[in-house]
Amino acid sequence: MIIRNGLIVTAHEEFVGDLAIADGKIACIGNVRDERAQVLDATGKLVLPGVIDMHTHIDHWGGSAKTDDDFFTGTRAAAFGGVTTVIDFAIQRPGETVQEAVRRRRSEADGKVCIDYSLHAHVTGADEETLRSVPAIIGDGYPSFKMFTTYKKAGFKIEDHDCLTLMRHIHDHGGLVMIHAENDSMCESLTETMLRADTAVPARYPDSRPPIAEAECISRMLLFAEYTGATIYIVHVSTRQGVELIRRAQKSGLNVIAETCPHYLLLHRDRYLEEDGYKYIMAPPLRDEEDAEALWQGIRDGVISVVSSDHCDYRLDKKVAGRRNFTQVSPGIHGTEWLLPLMYHFGVGGGKMTRQQLVRLLSHHPARIFGLPGKGNIAVGMDADLVLVDPSARHTITDSNHHMQADFSPYRGFELQGCPETVISRGEIVVQGGRFLGGRGRGRFVRRNPALRI
Ligand code: URP
Ligand code: ZN
Ligand code: ZN
């Protein structure tokens, strides 16, 4: 296949040219002629590396409900949005070892995924069995380990000392620690107080998980990172205070990597005041406009290296359970399909970043940080995971014009310019002109390497 005459955007340059694909890999870039090849005319289109959504919760049990997608519908929706690789989680269930959780998640994904995927391991305690299994898990191609500092009731939370022990241990074996940073005791106490006063309504939800809960936890994790020498990755940073703490830590030489998500950049806490404010129950909660500004600034100056979706796909019938009491729903919001369109429109279109920065945030950085071989950029020999974007195409988000399972959109009414038109996974067109051409189960598990520097 030859992709003819597109604006090829890599992590560090862009130019108009052709790109040839053979055996699922990028075979040649430049001015390519081959009469036998299938030609895709990309005149006027952008050719980007496929997006790596390194933070999804597909087919996920959230503590009180299961998401409505599975690895087929979840990865198909991702593909429609220009995502060609997802990294999901193997969240430990009570009584399950880390290796059992990984095996279970592999069996849930294999045969269903339609783009490539990997898994982050998840650890809840520093018991002998977990410590012993860490090198083997890394060796098997899962070099990143997630810890939740909250969600005690769901059984996901790690205690501080176990977190410290694991941070050192994982680092010593070449792994990367990912942290969901919220002070659980603050969030639980505030929630309990609201429950007792019968005020745990969506409008009060952000006050139950305030910025100080994120800031305190990030600063504790930075201290742990300094103490252990570990590189840590803070997921879904949502506050100005969080960005500032990480900025200072990076300046002082700590190896801390930060991620945020489109909803923290584009939606604010006033959403909880809407009649259907329960739709936005997610952790951490939506914040103020000034937090979003600080996050955009963090992206601009490189404090934040990755934007992911934190995709968690619940239908309204599950969300509505939180109408009078937000503790009745599992937190989370869907969004893998909108990750690229939103970041292209508001980031590049809004003059907040260049196209190459976009490629770094959504593809190149995740590939390097999470050790995905052959992915995340456009270069000869790399996987032909590509997305052709029509920069002039316009599209208004409604509650239903997407392929995720949720029957609503937090971005309803957003008018976007620039849409993924053709999506190619290892040389195969999986989405074209709004049609899914891929196959159930054609995606492959990607065995990852330890992180590279970005
Ligand atoms: O509310 C969220 N973010 N749900 C998914 C689980 C997590 O904390 O990332
Ligand atoms: Zn989280
Ligand atoms: Zn998450």
Side-chain angles (χ1 to χ4, degrees):
M1 187 194 301
I2 294 174
I3 300 175
R4 173 92 68 222
N5 202 34
L7 178 65
I8 298 172
V9 186
T10 78
H12 298 107
E13 57 179 342
E14 58 182 53
F15 50 89
V16 174
D18 307 331
L19 190 155
I21 299 171
D23 300 325
K25 306 254 182 221
I26 298 172
C28 178
I29 302 172
N31 193 346
V32 189
R33 290 282 170 271
D34 184 340
E35 297 312 317
R36 298 157 305 170
Q38 174 191 357
V39 175
L40 274 185
D41 181 10
T43 306
K45 310 276 159 59
L46 313 177
V47 183
L48 312 180
V51 169
I52 296 168
D53 190 354
M54 50 56 55
H55 186 160
T56 61
H57 300 275
I58 294 172
D59 202 350
H60 166 77
W61 170 251
S64 59
K66 199 197 93 46
T67 59
D68 286 291
D69 56 2
D70 65 12
F71 275 97
F72 172 60
T73 57
T75 56
R76 184 183 55 182
F80 272 105
V83 175
T84 50
T85 308
V86 293
I87 315 184
D88 210 283
F89 295 88
I91 294 187
Q92 257 184 297
R93 285 184 179 157
E96 200 176 40
T97 68
V98 184
Q99 282 170 310
E100 284 164 353
V102 166
R103 275 196 294 275
R104 173 175 53 78
R105 292 293 279 169
R106 286 291 306 274
S107 72
E108 287 166 9
D110 289 332
K112 290 205 185 88
V113 283
C114 35
I115 51 174
D116 292 348
Y117 84 103
S118 184
L119 297 168
H120 307 286
H122 163 234
V123 280
T124 49
D127 52 281
E128 277 302 309
E129 162 73 24
T130 300
L131 292 172
R132 193 193 47 70
S133 65
V134 162
I137 294 167
I138 295 174
D140 286 344
Y142 310 88
S144 46
F145 293 78
K146 171 85 169 276
M147 298 188 210
F148 290 100
T149 59
T150 184
Y151 301 146
K152 191 171 191 160
K153 284 189 182 144
F156 298 167
K157 179 180 182 286
I158 186 131
E159 295 301 333
D160 278 351
H161 191 258
D162 284 2
C163 175
L164 191 63
T165 305
L166 276 162
M167 206 182 262
R168 176 174 287 125
H169 188 70
I170 291 166
H171 173 68
D172 286 350
H173 287 90
L176 176 68
V177 171
M178 304 164 74
I179 307 278
H180 171 132
E182 283 184 296
N183 180 310
D184 191 63
S185 143
M186 285 184 198
C187 298
E188 281 305 311
S189 298
L190 289 162
T191 303
E192 287 302 324
T193 305
M194 289 183 192
L195 282 173
R196 276 197 301 275
D198 206 15
T199 56
V201 288
R204 298 287 315 282
Y205 178 66
D207 300 324
S208 73
R209 312 184 83 85
I212 182 66
E214 178 171 289
E216 185 283 334
C217 192
I218 289 180
S219 62
R220 187 166 15 114
M221 292 302 129
L222 292 171
L223 192 61
F224 286 10
E226 188 178 9
Y227 188 69
T228 58
T231 301
I232 60 170
Y233 179 100
I234 311 282
V235 300
H236 51 49
V237 177
S238 66
T239 57
R240 178 181 56 77
Q241 293 91 326
V243 179
E244 287 317 315
L245 286 162
I246 293 167
R247 184 193 309 280
R248 259 186 272 149
Q250 288 172 342
K251 275 198 184 133
S252 79
L254 275 191
N255 291 322
V256 52
I257 306 167
E259 165 204 288
T260 193
C261 311
H263 36 277
Y264 299 117
L265 295 163
L266 300 171
L267 307 174
H268 312 309
R269 65 171 279 165
D270 54 356
R271 295 279 175 148
Y272 295 106
L273 302 176
E274 293 174 3
E275 204 183 322
D276 49 8
Y278 51 81
K279 287 181 189 169
Y280 308 97
I281 293 169
M282 63 184 84
L286 300 174
R287 308 292 191 185
D288 288 326
E289 206 168 330
E290 64 156 28
D291 294 290
E293 270 318 306
L295 294 169
W296 280 115
Q297 185 58 40
I299 288 176
R300 264 195 296 270
D301 54 26
V303 174
I304 294 173
S305 307
V306 174
V307 180
S308 75
S309 71
D310 195 8
H311 171 83
C312 204
D313 195 356
Y314 294 111
R315 294 174 64 89
L316 267 184
D317 58 348
K318 293 193 176 134
K319 287 294 203 191
V320 83
R323 197 176 58 230
R324 291 201 185 81
N325 177 347
F326 57 70
T327 65
Q328 297 301 306
V329 280
S330 293
I333 197 81
H334 52 298
T336 188
E337 191 172 348
W338 295 309
L339 174 58
L340 172 61
L342 289 171
M343 292 308 294
Y344 180 77
H345 177 85
F346 290 99
V348 177
K352 289 175 155 54
M353 67 182 70
T354 65
R355 289 183 283 253
Q356 289 157 49
Q357 267 175 305
L358 179 79
V359 163
R360 293 200 287 272
L361 279 174
L362 299 186
S363 305
H364 184 58
H365 288 170
R368 290 184 69 86
I369 294 166
F370 294 98
L372 282 163
K375 298 204 182 281
N377 208 352
I378 297 181
V380 171
M382 297 193 81
D383 285 357
D385 287 353
L386 302 161
V387 51
L388 273 58
V389 171
D390 181 346
S392 62
R394 288 174 183 276
H395 159 235
T396 302
I397 296 183
T398 69
D399 279 331
S400 57
N401 59 358
H402 60 85
H403 303 83
M404 294 168 280
Q405 297 303 294
D407 44 359
F408 70 98
S409 171
Y411 306 103
R412 182 179 59 202
F414 278 35
E415 291 175 14
L416 306 183
Q417 182 169 342
C419 296
E421 186 197 71
T422 302
V423 182
I424 299 171
S425 162
R426 277 182 286 98
E428 189 181 327
I429 297 177
V430 291
V431 170
Q432 192 165 41
R435 286 201 312 136
F436 180 66
L437 305 176
R440 181 187 175 97
R442 66 161 291 288
R444 291 186 192 150
F445 169 73
V446 184
R447 206 187 146 103
R448 291 184 288 126
N449 301 319
L452 295 172
R453 286 205 171 269
I454 53 173

